[in-house]
Amino acid sequence: MRALVTGATGGLGRNLVERLHRDGHDVIATGRNRAVGQAIASEGIRFEAVDLAEDQRLQTLSEGCDVVFHCAALSSPWGRREDFEAINVNGTINVRDAALAAGARLVHVSTPSIYANFSDQLNISEFSLLPKRKINDYARTKWEAEAHIDLSVRNEGLEAIIIRPRGIFGPYDTTLMPRLMATAERGPVPLINGGQAVVDVTYVENVVDALILAAEARHIKHGEAFNITNGEAVVIADLIKQALTAVGVPYTTKNVPYWLANLVARGMEFSARIGAIKGEPALTRYTAGLFAFDQTLDITRARTNLGYSPRISIKEGIARYAEWYRLDRFRGQQG
């Protein structure tokens, strides 16, 4: 397999290119983080520093590829609308066009945030009714990206499969675990409604399995989307305890009612809009909602149609992450 991977300097993309390389595939890794790109290249993997706006370069790099894995995205609870549009919508259009021109299959990484509606939701299927108003600009632009892919599948014959992984964690994670550890180091970890919400997460190697299955599946109708999780729902408070204990970060907790978290989040968002807070607010309504409400996904279609089966449990995944984290810190101290 010859594959192009966008977002290779992010957590999921980097795990994917390393797996493809180990398995003997010809892989081209792309991304904007040149420092991480150098680390990828040091492993013998071809790396090209590419912005998603560089449509001509994407088309050139896609030539001769069998598959384009689109892992790049602006994945954040907060940011400028135009940035989400530029990366998640326009960038996806450029990647889609590159795959189409190359005659390559597109495997697109979307998000289950498109389902979220600030309420408890259990066993959400790919056919569940979506909220008319998406929870934030991230979810909205990821849904628009899916719509552009679907349009090309129907009108231009694009080969494409979409996956919607929930709560990815594992080596090279720059989002979930680092933010949790930073919160614990600042003081008591706030557990919204006592941290009793039930959620799904997914170990990164399981998501990589799903990506490769989607690339190789020849019997799937193009344009189909698949939920991807570890298939073992977990209570947030229990997950946090397991994760922080494994990496050796001392922590305490405090209960925060959702109404208060939501009120504080609204105030912080307002302050950020008027410039009183620089950058991303410490708490957003999106984040408060993720921690306050149940959200689990039905992965029956991925199991049945893709042959997906989570190999690595949450418990084992946390242990693997903790081992990687300790080694990564040691290498950083030695370097």
Side-chain angles (χ1 to χ4, degrees):
M1 179 196 301
R2 181 176 174 84
L4 176 74
V5 179
T6 72
T9 55
L12 175 58
R14 188 166 179 182
N15 279 277
L16 174 61
V17 298
E18 289 185 354
R19 169 83 75 83
L20 292 171
H21 181 66
R22 286 198 306 270
D23 291 349
H25 297 293
D26 183 7
V27 57
I28 304 169
T30 70
R32 294 188 297 173
N33 189 321
R34 292 177 182 271
V36 175
Q38 288 179 349
I40 291 171
S42 71
E43 299 178 38
I45 301 168
R46 179 182 173 187
F47 175 78
E48 298 285 344
V50 178
D51 190 286
L52 294 182
E54 298 179 75
D55 55 336
Q56 291 302 315
R57 284 200 68 201
L58 287 169
Q59 293 206 16
T60 299
L61 291 171
S62 297
E63 291 176 1
C65 287
D66 304 297
V67 182
V68 174
F69 293 97
H70 185 32
C71 302
L74 176 54
S75 177
S76 173
W78 184 261
R80 300 192 311 162
R81 174 171 294 192
E82 53 266 37
D83 291 338
F84 286 106
E85 293 278 355
I87 297 173
N88 295 347
V89 181
N90 298 334
T92 296
I93 290 172
N94 289 338
V95 174
R96 177 205 66 183
D97 290 348
L100 189 61
R105 171 172 293 201
L106 175 63
V107 181
H108 174 66
V109 180
S110 187
T111 175
S113 291
I114 63 174
Y115 302 126
N117 63 4
F118 294 112
S119 69
D120 292 328
Q121 298 171 287
L122 297 175
N123 298 318
I124 304 167
S125 82
E126 295 85 350
F127 303 106
S128 295
L129 186 65
L130 298 177
K132 291 183 179 180
R133 183 179 178 85
K134 299 299 180 285
I135 198 168
N136 64 0
D137 284 329
Y138 168 62
R140 178 182 61 80
T141 53
K142 292 295 284 184
W143 175 241
E144 289 179 11
E146 285 198 28
H148 283 289
I149 291 170
D150 183 64
L151 187 66
S152 189
V153 167
R154 289 187 283 111
N155 295 341
E156 300 175 284
L158 175 70
E159 287 192 19
I161 293 178
I162 297 165
I163 69 165
R164 298 170 182 161
R166 175 74 157 94
I168 303 172
F169 73 99
Y172 307 121
D173 180 10
T174 59
T175 306
L176 188 62
M177 286 298 297
R179 288 187 178 192
L180 179 57
M181 287 186 281
T183 300
E185 287 166 357
R186 287 194 298 265
V189 176
L191 296 179
I192 299 175
N193 289 346
Q196 293 307 298
V198 177
V199 298
D200 278 319
V201 292
T202 323
Y203 186 64
V204 67
E205 284 290 337
N206 293 333
V207 184
V208 170
D209 287 347
L211 286 166
I212 294 173
L213 287 168
E216 296 175 343
R218 296 298 161 189
H219 59 287
I220 303 297
K221 180 181 176 183
H222 295 303
E224 294 225 27
F226 297 92
N227 293 334
I228 302 296
T229 75
N230 248 62
E232 45 177 329
V234 62
V235 175
I236 284 178
D238 295 340
L239 179 65
I240 290 174
K241 181 178 181 180
Q242 289 181 56
L244 292 178
T245 300
V247 295
V249 175
Y251 76 103
T252 55
T253 64
K254 62 180 178 181
N255 179 46
V256 179
Y258 173 65
W259 68 264
L260 178 58
N262 187 51
L263 184 65
V264 170
R266 287 177 180 273
M268 288 186 171
E269 288 185 3
F270 176 77
S271 296
R273 287 193 191 97
I274 65 174
I277 293 177
K278 302 298 182 183
E280 180 184 316
L283 182 64
T284 65
R285 287 178 293 165
Y286 172 81
T287 303
L290 289 183
F291 282 87
F293 299 109
D294 297 340
Q295 190 189 68
T296 62
L297 307 183
D298 182 350
I299 60 172
T300 300
R301 294 187 72 250
R303 291 183 185 274
T304 302
N305 296 350
L306 287 181
Y308 171 72
S309 180
R311 292 183 296 113
I312 300 167
S313 68
I314 292 176
K315 181 179 179 180
E316 182 181 351
I318 289 174
R320 289 189 181 197
Y321 175 79
E323 180 180 4
W324 172 86
Y325 174 73
R326 286 190 288 269
L327 287 172
D328 189 59
R329 289 189 67 189
F330 175 76
R331 286 191 292 264
Q333 291 166 356
Q334 295 299 304

